[in-house]
Every structure is written in structure tokens, then in C-alpha cells.
Amino acid sequence: MMFADLSAALSTVLPAADATAYERAIIDDNCTGKSTTATRRATQQRLSELYGLDPDDLIFRALRHLWDRDVLGRPLMAVTCALARDPRLRQTAPFILDLRPDAELQREVMKDAVRSEAHNRLSEATLDKVVRNASSTWVQSGHLNGRTFKRRAHVVATPAAATYAAYVAYLAGHRGMDMFASDWFRVLDLRPEQALDMLQEARRLDMVDLRIAGEVVSIRFDRLAADPRRA
């Protein structure tokens, strides 16, 4: 998920900047430290595909809002954003999230599933690249550890990561308690009751507006949706 490159870009560009500022920072100013212009352009293109890098994109706007508030939650917020935007990465998610703690990732099983989802339209070389890149992403997010043999690790969610997961789930059409049972919270390794507890902590930190009345849960995301260019 190019976490180091994303971190470099977000640490360089101001929160209220527009998409062209990210392009200049990555290509012209080389904030990600690439050796050639071609590599800088490729980095900018891939980061834009994964994250948007544009405040007009609501998913990126919310990520940018929460990024500076929570260093520990950044890898989980980044992978949540990448999953929302990258269908190939989403295809690999079930094989990671369904693994028991410390279970070993079976790369061939994941590759067969991606092959099936792609209706056999991908070459073996492309399939290997998809699985290799996805495995790297899940290591960067904290869901896998190990070098040669990768095993499932339990990630530790934060209030900002939970707020972001709730917002992405909301944009995907989930409402109320349904969002806590969605795959977006499975990415955080949180059960619904744990997710609700984490959102209550996020409310205390003034990250989200949350109201609970019996079985009815109401969440407002006005802060995340606000355009930083109009602040």
C-alpha cells in the first residue's frame, strides 16, 4: 500500500491543499525520494489510484482529516482507504481476515481465488504480482508478520481508525449497528460491541458525533465531510 510514500506525501503537503499540490510535491519536489522522474510519476499515479490525493474525494478528505490526529492508527486507516479504492486488494481481504491468529497465509490459495475472480483473464506473472503486492500491503497494515512465511497477526484499532472505518462503511451504505458488523470493522479486528465502544471513545475525543438510544445508533460525520479548503 506504499505506506512510506503516502506518509511522506501527507507530511509534506498541507491539509487544505488541492490535488495539484500533491502532484508537485511527489514529482517536482521528490518528497518520496525517488531516483528518477519516471519513478516519481509512477509513484504519484499509484498513490492517486490507492488514496485519491484530492480533497474532492470524500474518502481521502476524511483520511487527511484524521491522519494528523492519530499516528498509531495510520496503517489501518491507509489500508481501509486502499481497500475502498482497489478492487484487486479487496479480493484478497477474505483470505487475510478469515485467518485464525498465527495461521500461515497460503499464497497459492489466495492466488487461485484472485484468478477465479478475474475469470482467468490474468497471466501467471500478473497473478504473482497481485499476490506479492497484496501480501506486502497486509504486512504494512499489521495483519501479517514474518518474512518468508507470513502469519496472521491481530491488529490494534484506535479511535481514529474506527471513526474512519465507520465513515467508509457509511459511504458504502451501512447504517446504525449494521456498520459495526460490516467488513470495514473486520479490517480492524473488532467485533460489533468492541467497535461501538471504540466509537464512544472517538466521540469523547471529538472525532465523531455519536448518539445511542436503546438499540438505535446515530452517527454524524460533519467534521470528516467538511472541505478543508473552506475552513
Side-chain angles (χ1 to χ4, degrees):
M1 65 182 180
M2 304 175 69
F3 182 74
D5 292 329
L6 175 67
S7 298
L10 296 188
S11 68
T12 302
V13 181
L14 294 175
D18 61 14
T20 59
Y22 291 95
E23 185 174 349
R24 287 195 301 269
I26 296 169
I27 298 175
D28 299 336
D29 301 335
N30 195 23
C31 69
T32 58
K34 305 305 180 185
S35 58
T36 67
T37 299
T39 307
R40 296 173 200 171
R41 291 188 183 279
T43 298
Q44 191 275 333
Q45 178 181 351
R46 187 56 180 150
L47 284 176
S48 295
E49 291 170 351
L50 285 173
Y51 302 107
L53 301 186
D54 185 344
D56 286 332
D57 183 322
L58 292 179
I59 294 176
F60 175 72
R61 185 186 296 180
L63 175 71
R64 192 67 186 87
H65 176 85
L66 292 166
W67 190 262
D68 292 335
R69 297 199 62 180
D70 183 7
V71 174
L72 294 179
R74 288 176 180 178
L76 288 176
M77 290 190 286
V79 77
T80 299
C81 185
L83 284 166
R85 297 179 58 86
D86 188 337
R88 288 275 183 256
L89 182 60
R90 281 199 304 276
Q91 289 172 1
T92 70
F95 304 94
I96 305 302
L97 303 180
D98 290 344
L99 285 175
R100 299 185 308 278
D102 203 40
E104 184 180 333
L105 172 66
Q106 301 297 320
R107 290 172 57 92
E108 288 302 315
V109 174
M110 188 162 70
K111 187 165 79 171
D112 288 343
V114 174
R115 179 188 292 112
S116 177
E117 288 286 343
H119 303 290
N120 296 312
R121 289 193 296 263
L122 301 180
S123 68
E124 285 300 307
T126 300
L127 283 168
D128 285 335
K129 183 178 180 180
V130 169
V131 172
R132 183 172 61 254
N133 290 345
S135 298
S136 174
T137 289
W138 291 111
V139 169
Q140 292 174 64
S141 69
H143 292 82
L144 295 176
N145 57 32
R147 302 187 68 175
T148 303
F149 302 102
K150 294 179 171 51
R151 297 183 178 277
R152 181 70 155 91
H154 182 82
V155 298
V156 179
T158 65
T163 298
Y164 190 61
Y167 186 57
V168 174
Y170 178 86
L171 293 177
H174 297 280
R175 296 293 184 270
M177 289 299 295
D178 176 58
M179 69 174 55
F180 302 133
S182 70
D183 287 342
W184 302 108
F185 277 95
R186 290 190 65 214
V187 172
L188 307 186
D189 286 339
L190 291 178
R191 298 189 301 274
E193 63 274 15
Q194 294 173 317
L196 183 57
D197 289 342
M198 191 68 70
L199 261 295
Q200 290 177 313
E201 176 65 12
R203 176 182 61 182
R204 188 186 69 80
L205 296 172
D206 204 30
M207 293 180 178
V208 68
D209 295 317
L210 174 70
R211 292 178 175 79
I212 304 172
E215 297 295 319
V216 178
V217 176
S218 175
I219 307 178
R220 292 178 59 90
F221 300 99
D222 296 347
R223 296 176 184 84
L224 300 188
D227 191 336
R229 295 166 296 185
R230 298 188 176 93

